[in-house]
Amino acid sequence: MLINSADTVVADALHGMAAAHPDLDVDVERRVVVRRDAKSGGRVGLVSGGGSGHEPLHGGFVGYGMLSAACPGEVFTSPVPNQMLHAAGAVDAGQGVLFVVKNYTGDVLNFQMAAELAEEDGLRVESVLVNDDVAVTDSLYTAGRRGTGATLFVEKIAGAAAEEGAPLDRVAALARRVNESSRSFGVALSACTTPAKGSPTFELPDGELELGIGIHGEPGRERRAMMTSREIAEVAVGAVLDDLAQTGGPADGPVLALVNGMGATPLLELYGFHAEVSRLLTARGVTVARALVGNYVTSLDMAGCSVTLCRADEELLRLWDAPVQTPALRWGR
C-alpha cells in the first residue's frame, strides 16, 4: 500500500487534502473538513461524515453548493460525536444545521448523540437518514437498508437548496425526498484490503463475484460465477427498478443515474458498464436525464461498481444542475 503506516493513514490523507485544497479548512487533530466560507451568507449548514476508505465521500464533497463540513472517522469506522458537534458549531450561521447520515449503526448513534448535544448548545439540528441499498434489508453494519450511492444525490441537491437560501425544514424535506426517490445496488469483483489488516476483508475466489455487496465488504444477496458487464447490469438495474416501482412513482419518469466505481475498477470498464445500464433503461422506457460515471462512493481497493437511480422532477433536476465546486464534484462556476 502507498502509506507510511496503518496508524497514520487518515491523518496523512488529511494533511494531503489540506495541501491540495487551500479553500478548505482541514483540522487534522479534530478530524473535521470545513468549507472556509461556511458561516458567510446566512445559509443552512450541511454536515455529513463516516468512516474513511470511501473517498471522495465525504470530504471530497465539501464546498460551494454541497457540504459545509465533513467528519472522517478511521477506516470503516464511524466518526465520534465530538467531531460532529465541532463541525456543527463551525458551520452554523444562525439558520440551523442538517446532518446527512448513512444508515450504519455507528453513524446513526453518534450523529444522534451529536444532534442532542448541539441542541443543548442552542443549535437547531435536523437529521436525514440515507438508506437506498436494495440488496439486503439487514447487514453486519445496519438495522434496515444500507446507505450508499444516494448519499451523493442527497448532499448535492440539499446543498444546492441551502446555497439558494432555503430554510432548514425545506432543505431537510428535499433531502428526504431524494432519499425516498433513490435506490442502489452494488457488485464486488474482488474484496477490499484495509490498512490495519493488510489482507482481503473477505474471501472471494477467482472467477466469482458478489451481488449486492456493501461498501464495507458486507455480504450481498448471492455469490455467482463471473458474469459479463451486460449480465451484471441486468441484475443490478432490474433490482433497482423493481424496488423503485414499489414507491408508486411513474415507471417511465426521468432519472438521475450514477454508475459508481468501488475504487479499483477503471473508467474504461465503468463507461462500458454505463452503456449497458443506459441500454436497459431505454428498453424499459426510462429516460436518463443526467448521468454521472466514476469513483465517488468507494470501498478502498475493491473492484466492482454500483448503480444508483433517483426519480427526478423538474425541481430536483434544477438543483442537480446548480453550480457546485468541491474537490470531487464541480460544474457551473
Side-chain angles (χ1 to χ4, degrees):
M1 291 183 176
L2 189 65
I3 63 173
N4 292 317
S5 74
D7 293 335
T8 65
V9 63
V10 175
D12 290 345
L14 290 173
H15 280 297
M17 190 173 201
H21 303 287
D23 53 327
L24 300 179
D25 183 4
V26 182
D27 189 328
V28 178
E29 182 177 352
R30 288 193 174 100
R31 302 291 173 90
V32 176
V33 180
V34 181
R35 175 179 166 181
R36 282 196 184 275
D37 63 347
K39 287 197 173 186
S40 67
R43 70 181 73 84
V44 169
L46 264 71
V47 175
S48 194
S52 296
H54 306 302
E55 288 74 22
L57 190 83
H58 291 275
F61 298 143
V62 176
Y64 182 94
M66 214 162 173
L67 291 178
S68 308
C71 307
E74 292 300 321
V75 173
F76 290 0
T77 302
S78 172
V80 297
N82 281 347
Q83 287 174 261
M84 303 158 185
L85 183 62
H86 176 76
V91 306
D92 179 51
Q95 303 303 312
V97 175
L98 178 68
F99 284 165
V100 178
V101 187
K102 301 189 306 302
N103 189 32
Y104 296 96
T105 302
D107 290 2
V108 171
L109 292 176
N110 288 340
F111 268 105
Q112 182 178 16
M113 186 179 298
E116 293 169 356
L117 292 171
E119 287 170 351
E120 289 177 5
D121 289 345
L123 275 67
R124 288 192 301 133
V125 177
E126 287 267 7
S127 296
V128 171
L129 189 68
V130 182
N131 57 351
D132 54 303
D133 187 4
V134 305
V136 292
T137 301
D138 299 295
S139 74
L140 300 175
Y141 289 75
T142 67
R145 292 181 166 183
R146 302 174 291 214
T148 57
T151 313
L152 184 154
F153 290 157
V154 170
E155 292 175 355
K156 171 62 183 78
I157 289 172
E163 202 68 59
E164 291 181 350
L168 179 59
D169 58 350
R170 177 63 180 156
V171 176
L174 277 165
R176 293 188 183 104
R177 178 150 67 95
V178 172
N179 177 65
E180 291 162 3
S181 302
S182 301
R183 298 291 187 274
S184 297
F185 190 94
V187 179
L189 308 181
S190 74
C192 60
T193 300
T194 62
K197 186 178 181 184
S199 60
T201 54
F202 62 95
E203 294 296 326
L204 187 58
D206 289 343
E208 294 187 4
L209 54 75
E210 184 91 18
L211 294 173
I213 197 73
I215 58 174
H216 307 94
E218 310 98 308
R221 288 184 175 181
E222 60 180 307
R223 189 165 291 185
R224 291 190 191 177
M226 190 60 68
M227 303 158 64
T228 66
S229 179
R230 175 166 297 189
E231 291 168 336
I232 295 171
E234 288 171 350
V235 173
V237 172
V240 169
L241 289 181
D242 288 349
D243 205 282
L244 273 177
Q246 299 176 28
T247 66
D252 58 350
V255 297
L256 299 171
L258 168 65
V259 166
N260 170 69
M262 291 295 189
T265 299
L267 274 171
L268 178 72
E269 296 174 30
L270 293 177
Y271 275 118
F273 184 72
H274 178 67
E276 300 299 340
V277 170
S278 180
R279 178 185 60 81
L280 289 166
L281 291 173
T282 299
R284 297 277 288 264
V286 178
T287 300
V288 178
R290 306 288 187 274
L292 191 63
V293 179
N295 290 289
Y296 295 100
V297 184
T298 62
S299 184
L300 292 170
D301 60 344
M302 181 185 288
C305 64
S306 62
V307 177
T308 304
L309 302 179
C310 174
R311 282 196 175 121
D313 58 19
E314 289 185 6
E315 180 180 30
L316 296 189
L317 289 176
R318 180 184 64 79
L319 291 168
W320 176 259
D321 289 341
V324 60
Q325 187 169 335
T326 71
L329 215 65
R330 52 180 63 204
W331 58 71
R333 289 193 91 195

